[in-house]
Amino acid sequence: MAGKKTGLSHQPVFRAGVVVVIILTGFALLRMIFVPPTFGVYGYYRASNLDYWATRPVAYAQGTQCDTCHGERAGFVAAGGHAGLDCQSCHGPAASHPDNPGAWQPTINPDREFCARCHGQVEGRPDTVIKQIDLDQHNPGVSCVQCHDPHRPWTMLGTRLGGSKS
Amino acid sequence: MKAIDRRTFISSGIKVLATGLLSSLVTVVLPPATGTAGGTASREWPKLWQQREWGFVVDARKCIGCGTCVWACKRENGVPMDREVYRTWVERYVIGPNDQLYIESPQGGASFDRIGGSVPEKSFFVPKLCNQCADPPCVQVCPVGATYRTGDGVVLVDRVRCVGCRYCIQACPYGARFLHPDLMVADKCTWCYHRISKGMLPACVQVCPVGARIFGNLKDKGNPVTPIMARNQVQVLKPDMGTEPRVFYLGLDKVVR
Amino acid sequence: MVGFVYPNELEVNWGLLIVLYPYITGLVAGAFIVSALYHVFNRQALKPVGGLALLTALSFLLVAPLPLLLHLGQRFRAFNIMWTPNPTSAMAGFGYIYGFYLLLVALEVWFVFRADIVRYAESSRGVVRVFYNILSLGAKDTSDETLALDHRITRWLAVIGIPAAVLLHGYVGFIFGAIKANPWWSTALQPVIFLMSAVVSGIALLIVVYTVTSWLRRRPVDFSCLMSLNRYLWFFLVVGVGLEILEVIHKMYESREEWEALNRLLTDVMPVSFFGIQLGLGAAVPLVLLLVGRWSRLSNLWRASLTFVSGLLVLVGVYAMRFNVIIGGQLVSKTLAGFASYHASFFGNEGILQTVVLLMVPLAILGVLLRVLPPWVEIPALGERIPEAEEEEVAI
């Protein structure tokens, strides 16, 4: 009935123990390799990730940057009903424009729907904050910019800062 | 005789094994060594953080629901335009005659249409974004240390370490997190950390035509946030969650969650 | 979508794969506890399934991380959870708890079957012999003294294994229960509920596996063993379902702001899968059938069949419970003002087909394990290789 007897090194406990220790030490070694270098410098995260976020490219240029070239227009805007609006609220992201203005310019949208995004009558839009028009009632069929200069909305057709690219 | 030999042999063997086991267990369980190998991040972040503490105020009474911020945010941060994921969005609350509540945020509030029909009792817009909680549950639950709160108060996601398990998305009470459809990692509002680190405003704040979003460095004397906080009663979203949100709202209605 | 959900909630982030994860770990924990009932608490009636339970636990345990892995957005980074586990994260423990438990179960299996392995190695030739030799790790000692030591170790491993199984699965409950943002998940009862349903599903699985394997092997089922499983299943089912109902009643009675939404979730959004399948078909019906199955006036065949059917129903019910918790919890919007909608696709990742395959894999592994290490008490399957079959008593 009884089987063979063997020495300690062949004992099941010993063999199993060796395997467990190999697994655990192997794991501990791997872990030393795979924990990234800046992990834990400032907290339980990879510190170099801060640089990643801080150095992402911007799409919207700093608002004042437009003034350096479009100064006249900026002053024009600032003196009218659209004062306080950023150029890029209407023209979209323009960070890649100043570097090479001839090659790429931001978008221009003269549609009625574009103005209506802010001025259309819509439930929830407070009258106290913005003047609203009924898109179907307020001079339908004509582009808003035919009458209102988008850059200074009370400057009506004919008195606009026409044509100038500055 | 043999038995005794064997016993001592076994016991010493077990001792050796146990020491090996313990020492490897200790290395396994200990947190990774802090800041030893391989250098640090390029900037002296703690020094920068000493001069910065970002604050964000949303004036819900001013929001006109134009959606300019929603578009700007997506463009600024490379969030896919045609997918239903948003770092910031605008909700519209319409309260009908019989206290009927209708809430919507079509395409994250990028454009609201007329509803028509009877005139609502009350209706208003509420812009939402990550609250950069002082006690953020998303950071608590991230299994791999891929998300963290910076010293100046912004919660960021490490896109290189995130495994995309989406536990943080579940843990956020505000629905501010999502899985980036292209990168397959968690993504969220960073208050445009790349912009504010360069002295610019977050994109949504910069393009807001009515100044419903106000942002500043609380440690800066002339910042626009401190006076507002000083003169107004401010609220936060879901204060009962104990997350200590850092986006403060003016004019929040009780139905807003 | 009904009402209003946050725009980022439109997509249900945790789908069928995450439903599978607690289901499978639950089966593991439950099966292990059954084996422990025999190995530690010496419930002799369970002897016929003692080894089977262990192998079942192992085969499901091997598959348990697979749904999680497949679900990750970044699968190749899965090991980040081992390199930098966040101490504050409930989920970070998974890698370590799982690793520990796998080691434990593997060791338990090895010590339980070692004498068999040695015997198979000695009585076979060629590749098979090499295979069993490797399996034995070269520990060929089969003296009475060593076998007795093996036996003691087996018991101790099982003793450690019980809290480990409780940890493994109670912990899964904690992953969900500790999410304060989710009103349907967030409760301190969640770990206990998960644990109870785990035990329930494990026992049910063993009833099914034991009956089916006996049938495949054309051997009679050990009736007293089956009835013993019947009683355990009934008891744990009562406790488990009781807790699940208590949880809902508690929430209803407290009627906090989230109750309105939860009420609608249960009555409007998923009444069929909650009341119909989880509580009805998966709990109430088997509770009755199990009782009837214990009625001694019935023929043994009837009683065995009733128990078997109850086992199947409970397996379905527990799956529904996992589904209702995990998917249901995500359907309730954190706005408490609406519900997301969920549709499982058939093909593809998170699809129904994938779930079916993932549930087949452990059964296939079990099939292999049963060939390699037959746990059958009465008849050794590798018959021709075992001249001294009477040693079986010592081995287990």
Side-chain angles (χ1 to χ4, degrees), chain B residues 86 141 162 167 183 238, chain C residues 6 8 74 77 89 175 334:
Chain B
Y86 304 90
V141 304
C162 174
Y167 200 23
L183 304 173
K238 299 190 182 178
Chain C
Y6 291 130
N8 289 330
Q74 297 287 344
R77 299 182 192 163
S89 166
I175 287 184
K334 289 165 184 168

Side-chain angles (χ1 to χ4, degrees), chain B residues 153-198:
Chain B
V154 178
V155 176
L156 298 176
V157 180
D158 187 338
R159 290 181 166 174
V160 176
R161 287 203 75 69
C162 174
V163 294
C165 73
R166 291 162 247 189
Y167 200 23
C168 55
I169 303 176
Q170 306 289 1
C172 174
Y174 306 101
R177 282 177 172 251
F178 57 88
L179 191 80
H180 195 294
D182 300 335
L183 304 173
M184 296 304 275
V185 293
D187 201 30
K188 66 181 284 296
C189 164
T190 61
W191 281 0
C192 286
Y193 203 66
H194 56 306
R195 297 175 65 83
I196 59 180
S197 300
K198 294 179 184 119

Side-chain angles (χ1 to χ4, degrees), chain C residues 138-160:
Chain C
K140 295 278 179 62
D141 194 328
T142 49
S143 63
D144 286 347
E145 204 182 327
T146 309
L147 287 181
L149 183 64
D150 276 11
H151 192 72
R152 276 213 306 284
I153 291 175
T154 307
R155 272 197 63 172
W156 276 111
L157 285 175
V159 167
I160 306 171

